[in-house]
Amino acid sequence: MEQATININSKHTIGVVDRMIYSGFVEHMGRCVYGGLVPSTFPAASAQDECTGIFRKDVLDAMKEVRPPLVRYPGGNYTANFNWMDGVGPDRKPRIELAWRNVEPNTFGTNEFIDWCRAVGTEPFLCLNMGTGDLREALAWVEYCNSDSDSYYANLRRSHGYERPHNVKYWCLGNEVYGDYQVAQVSKEAYAAMAVQWARAIRFLDPSVKLVLCGKHGYDDWDSYVLGECIEHVDYHSIHLYSEQKTHEMAFFAPRIAETAIVWTQSMIGLARYQKKVARPVKICFDEWNVWNPQKYPGFEGHEEIYNVSDMLGVAVWLNVFLRHADTVEIACLAQAVNVIAPLFTKDGALLKQTTWWPYFLASKYLAGRSVSAHAACSTFQGPLVGQLERFARMLPDELPYLDLAATIDDDGGILTVSVVNGKLEDVQVDLQIDCPLQAGIERIEVAGEPLDENSFDNMEKIVPVHSDLTTSKTVVLKRCSYTLLRYKI
Ligand code: AHR
């Protein structure tokens, strides 16, 4: 069995973990909304799906277990050809939807989504259409959602049954508008000029909003250009990345590409703030991330990806990456919430928690407070790098350790939680070097399996967390292919 060492430096705070890194994302795509948030027959009730009001109860209950602080909506690429007015009030307009080439019935729109958010206990995070949409339409949406004035769109909201404003605080200035796959692609120069105008106008209407600039992947000249032009006007810079997983190693190591993207984006933000003399912080909003095999599960077929244990470890590494950069990444949205590359999967009246659900759920529940330094001395990947790892080799560290780590100390300072992902195909015995006295072990929570193991409707609990007692022994054995939380009273 491999022998490794883990060092935890409880006094070195990386940053305070913002729970917004456990945010979610709902897009009008595939079966995310219709079949996910509401029955596929919506607005007609389905005989098979038990509902709370109009919402699927199983999905609602699962989302309540995570309590994502924000949920981004309505896209995604869908945003670029959507008109919010088609989906409010009694007269809903079915439209041909060009991002995913469907007819969107618009029976589920802004108010249904905000009602769902209130039922979950999360905040809506809305994405403005900077593709086919114009500023007038965007301002009307902000007024409809947030204004308490005696004005047309605020009164329209009232006439739809919502007397009080929805108070939507977080708004994206477009989604992936740089992409040649967008309904309306724009250049970085055109986008930056537009983003400045939109940000100014939106803040005239509601100065309390938080605005997210549309960045790219965090390693592109798009990112440096738009930051340089717009930094004074925004609160966050968004980046999107999906890690691929054609092999076990790819699933486990590819999120490290995102880690480099975060570091580079942080530098670009720092430089832009310096050049434009912006004193207040601007943070990273990683508002789409996940493990995704786009060749096997293409968007036009609804991205109904079935996830295995390797993918689960990838998601756990992603979450560790955000924790390791708690000083910079304030928001991260797992794309997406249900059915579409998602940890939750529905079939008729049943809900499946996929393998990837478990790291998302466990991290959101136990990893909070201060993120502190953690380091593993263990064996490293010896290659060869293939696929996404090869394409992005320049963004990978020289060494890729098989143990991936993060650690947090809760707000009261009384609980240390070590989050460790063992990507190795063998058990690893760890010597734990923790620089503070351990009063007691609270519990060990472990999710493990073979790389290709999946949960299915026939075997829903093949991969689930196992809770066990934990002592303060310095030696811990980590199972092969496992995600483990070690919780200590300190
Ligand atoms: O999440 C699926 C798609 O991936 C989103 O619509 C888009 O923003 C991204 O490219």
Side-chain angles (χ1 to χ4, degrees), residues 239-419:
I239 48 180
H240 291 180
L241 271 177
Y242 292 91
S243 59
E244 292 179 17
Q245 81 281 43
K246 283 176 211 127
T247 64
H248 170 75
E249 282 73 21
M250 233 201 268
F252 183 73
F253 291 117
R256 300 296 305 272
I257 298 166
E259 186 154 22
T260 304
I262 289 168
V263 173
W264 292 359
T265 304
Q266 184 175 16
S267 300
M268 291 181 206
I269 290 174
L271 184 61
R273 282 179 61 209
Y274 173 75
Q275 288 172 338
K276 292 289 175 88
K277 299 187 172 58
V278 173
R280 65 186 166 74
V282 172
K283 298 284 173 128
I284 294 175
C285 170
F286 217 122
D287 52 17
E288 285 187 32
W289 70 270
N290 203 348
V291 175
W292 173 21
N293 182 344
Q295 281 80 36
K296 200 162 162 204
Y297 299 97
F300 290 105
E301 291 169 19
H303 290 56
E304 300 213 349
E305 181 141 9
I306 302 301
Y307 287 112
N308 60 31
V309 164
S310 301
D311 305 327
M312 173 189 87
L313 301 185
V315 165
V317 174
W318 268 103
L319 292 161
N320 278 353
V321 166
F322 297 138
L323 292 164
R324 288 199 289 268
H325 295 277
D327 52 337
T328 316
V329 182
E330 205 166 86
I331 303 175
C333 304
L334 173 59
Q336 301 189 4
V338 50
N339 291 332
V340 177
I341 45 170
L344 298 175
F345 199 86
T346 66
K347 190 167 94 180
D348 303 326
L351 176 75
L352 177 70
K353 288 176 173 162
Q354 298 220 56
T355 55
T356 52
W357 169 260
W358 295 115
Y360 181 46
F361 166 75
L362 292 170
S364 74
K365 193 167 161 80
Y366 296 108
L367 292 160
R370 285 190 300 125
S371 170
V372 298
S373 282
H375 178 261
C378 62
S379 63
T380 56
F381 180 58
Q382 296 306 311
L385 296 173
V386 294
Q388 196 182 27
L389 294 177
E390 186 185 16
R391 291 200 308 281
F392 290 87
R394 285 168 301 156
M395 292 184 69
L396 289 170
D398 293 342
E399 298 215 314
L400 290 168
Y402 271 107
L403 295 184
D404 191 274
L405 279 178
T408 59
I409 295 179
D410 73 334
D411 289 334
D412 298 335
I415 299 176
L416 165 71
T417 305
V418 181
S419 157

Side-chain angles (χ1 to χ4, degrees), residues 23-90:
S23 294
F25 174 39
V26 164
E27 177 164 5
H28 280 261
M29 176 180 181
R31 293 191 307 122
C32 186
V33 172
Y34 307 101
L37 272 52
V38 290
S40 52
T41 52
F42 183 77
S46 147
Q48 281 161 322
D49 304 313
E50 200 192 326
C51 286
T52 300
I54 61 170
F55 306 120
R56 275 190 75 118
K57 183 176 179 322
D58 48 9
V59 173
L60 197 67
D61 287 347
M63 293 304 287
K64 283 185 198 168
E65 290 172 25
V66 166
R67 285 191 303 112
L70 306 177
V71 176
R72 184 169 178 257
Y73 173 85
N77 297 345
Y78 171 78
T79 308
N81 72 141
F82 125 101
N83 184 337
W84 68 271
M85 282 181 250
D86 294 335
V88 292

Side-chain angles (χ1 to χ4, degrees), residues 357-359 361-362 444-448 463-467 483:
W357 169 260
W358 295 115
F361 166 75
L362 292 170
R444 170 192 176 120
I445 310 169
E446 180 182 74
V447 210
I463 303 297
V464 288
V466 175
H467 293 246
Y483 174 52

Side-chain angles (χ1 to χ4, degrees), residues 44-162:
S46 147
Q48 281 161 322
D49 304 313
E50 200 192 326
C51 286
T52 300
I54 61 170
F55 306 120
R56 275 190 75 118
K57 183 176 179 322
D58 48 9
V59 173
L60 197 67
D61 287 347
M63 293 304 287
K64 283 185 198 168
E65 290 172 25
V66 166
R67 285 191 303 112
L70 306 177
V71 176
R72 184 169 178 257
Y73 173 85
N77 297 345
Y78 171 78
T79 308
N81 72 141
F82 125 101
N83 184 337
W84 68 271
M85 282 181 250
D86 294 335
V88 292
D91 178 24
R92 303 296 172 104
K93 299 184 182 65
R95 297 279 190 198
I96 293 175
E97 193 287 294
L98 295 176
W100 307 110
R101 323 269 158 86
N102 287 313
V103 174
E104 166 56 50
N106 280 306
T107 46
F108 187 103
T110 305
N111 295 318
E112 288 77 18
F113 175 68
I114 289 174
D115 286 347
W116 181 82
C117 288
R118 302 299 176 225
V120 170
T122 182
E123 284 299 316
F125 171 19
L126 299 181
C127 189
L128 296 163
N129 175 357
M130 290 186 78
T132 58
D134 62 18
L135 179 54
R136 181 190 291 258
E137 182 189 315
L139 289 170
W141 199 19
V142 176
E143 179 187 328
Y144 181 90
C145 289
N146 288 4
S147 176
D148 210 8
S149 305
D150 182 12
S151 58
Y152 179 78
Y153 288 107
N155 286 333
L156 186 65
R157 183 196 67 239
R158 291 186 183 99
S159 76
H160 295 157
Y162 297 85

